[in-house]
Amino acid sequence: VCRAGEEVHVLCRSEGREEKDRAIREKHEKRLLVDLEKLGKRISAGRLKDHNKIHQAIGRIRERYPRVCRYYQISYVDGKQPLTWSEDTKKKGLAAKLDGSYVLRTDRKDLSAEEIWRTYILLTRIEHAFRDLKTPLMERPIFHHLKNRTQTHIFLCLLAYHLLVSIEKHFLDNGVHTSWETLRTTLETHQIATVELPTPKGGTLQIRKGTSPTKEHREIYRILNVPSEIMKAKRTWKPQEKIVTEKNEKSASQAN
């Protein structure tokens, strides 16, 4: 905790965020080196000779990877030496130490460091709640002309949100950090299909059943403690006479 004038600064460290920051930095660093290598080959092969365009290309690379470009010294002297770059290990090491760190600022001097952090987490959770209501639950816009219908719409969305939070909390308790949107996207591929097969007598056999769940589907169902089988296979026979009758009724309705 640091008190600077009218503000209180709290330094926080997160192990999960540390891994995320490191992964992002390594990914950007890898892309930066690939782009520098490509640009160096273009210059060495003589495919890019204009000095102004070379400096512009270097500037675009710096702009594209500002997060990691500051850890590298990139130099090019017009017509005197090829493009070179070197790693600033001191700056990069300092950045690695700061992975997972963030600072909270507040003008509340009556709160402890833990209370400030919990308030921040509460605010982020509220922001996520509004985001979930707007996107996955489609709470808005609301196209209703009657007040009671609008209130019912909002009530059902809040009820769905409570269920959403309950599911996410259940996964978190089982050591799985995920979101409802990710779960919904994963389960979209587990569907119900209807297959129609012709019979020797001219009729059809309809078989309606769920597709086979994948390993990811089974794991989600296991954590939620629900069966992985969506429905039992349902078979329906349609004789030839019934099919002809249905076609005739459809043709008559279209003619009318």
Side-chain angles (χ1 to χ4, degrees):
V1 180
C2 176
R3 302 185 183 277
E6 297 297 326
E7 292 185 341
V8 177
H9 297 177
V10 180
L11 176 63
C12 305
R13 294 187 63 86
S14 169
E15 294 182 0
R17 187 163 179 170
E18 181 179 359
E19 296 178 0
K20 180 179 179 180
D21 290 346
R22 184 185 303 111
I24 293 175
R25 188 182 67 254
E26 291 176 352
K27 181 179 69 174
H28 287 193
E29 185 177 11
K30 184 178 180 180
R31 292 179 179 177
L32 168 67
L33 295 176
V34 170
D35 286 358
L36 288 175
E37 192 69 31
K38 289 180 179 179
L39 179 59
K41 289 181 179 180
R42 290 176 61 195
I43 297 173
S44 301
R47 295 195 300 270
L48 187 60
K49 299 179 180 180
D50 189 292
H51 301 315
N52 292 330
K53 291 184 178 180
I54 292 174
H55 286 292
Q56 290 175 4
I58 295 174
R60 284 194 294 269
I61 291 177
R62 291 181 181 276
E63 184 179 7
R64 194 178 304 134
Y65 307 105
R67 189 186 188 98
V68 294
C69 200
R70 53 186 172 175
Y71 311 139
Y72 285 85
Q73 297 290 338
I74 304 174
S75 61
Y76 173 76
V77 180
D78 298 346
K80 295 182 180 180
Q81 68 176 39
L83 178 68
T84 60
W85 59 90
S86 60
E87 181 183 293
D88 190 332
T89 55
K90 186 176 180 181
K91 287 185 178 180
K92 186 176 178 180
L94 179 61
K97 292 181 180 180
L98 296 177
D99 284 344
S101 302
Y102 58 97
V103 177
L104 301 180
R105 302 190 322 176
T106 179
D107 58 355
R108 292 285 301 274
K109 298 182 179 181
D110 57 324
L111 300 178
S112 64
E114 183 177 356
E115 289 174 334
I116 293 173
W117 179 80
R118 291 188 179 280
T119 303
Y120 165 73
I121 295 299
L122 178 60
L123 290 175
T124 56
R125 188 57 188 164
I126 293 173
E127 291 175 356
H128 290 165
F130 279 106
R131 184 183 62 189
D132 291 338
L133 288 172
K134 293 176 183 177
T135 48
L137 297 179
M138 303 300 180
E139 191 267 344
R140 71 172 193 175
I142 302 175
F143 298 104
H144 296 299
H145 297 287
L146 300 179
K147 181 180 179 180
N148 61 333
R149 292 181 181 178
T150 302
Q151 292 175 340
T152 304
H153 188 127
I154 296 175
F155 172 76
L156 291 176
C157 284
L158 291 175
L159 188 63
Y161 175 70
H162 280 285
L163 179 61
L164 181 153
V165 173
S166 177
I167 292 174
E168 291 182 349
K169 179 65 165 55
H170 190 68
F171 275 85
L172 188 62
D173 292 341
N174 284 268
V176 180
H177 297 265
T178 186
S179 65
W180 166 249
E181 188 172 1
T182 301
L183 295 173
R184 185 184 62 177
T185 303
T186 304
L187 292 176
E188 280 180 351
T189 55
H190 194 196
Q191 301 177 350
I192 297 176
T194 301
V195 181
E196 289 192 359
L197 302 174
T199 61
K201 296 183 179 180
T204 59
L205 169 62
Q206 288 187 348
I207 303 177
R208 186 167 177 80
K209 61 174 297 184
T211 58
S212 300
T214 63
K215 181 180 178 181
E216 291 77 11
H217 298 156
R218 293 183 184 277
E219 180 63 16
I220 292 174
Y221 295 138
R222 183 191 67 80
I223 295 176
L224 292 176
N225 195 25
V226 296
S228 59
E229 185 180 8
I230 301 178
M231 61 174 291
K232 293 184 178 180
K234 182 179 179 182
R235 295 175 175 82
T236 305
W237 293 90
K238 282 193 174 184
Q240 176 67 20
E241 296 180 358
K242 186 176 181 180
I243 296 175
V244 173
T245 304
E246 289 179 352
K247 288 184 178 179
N248 292 337
E249 291 178 354
K250 184 177 181 181
S251 300
S253 61
Q254 290 177 351
N256 293 333

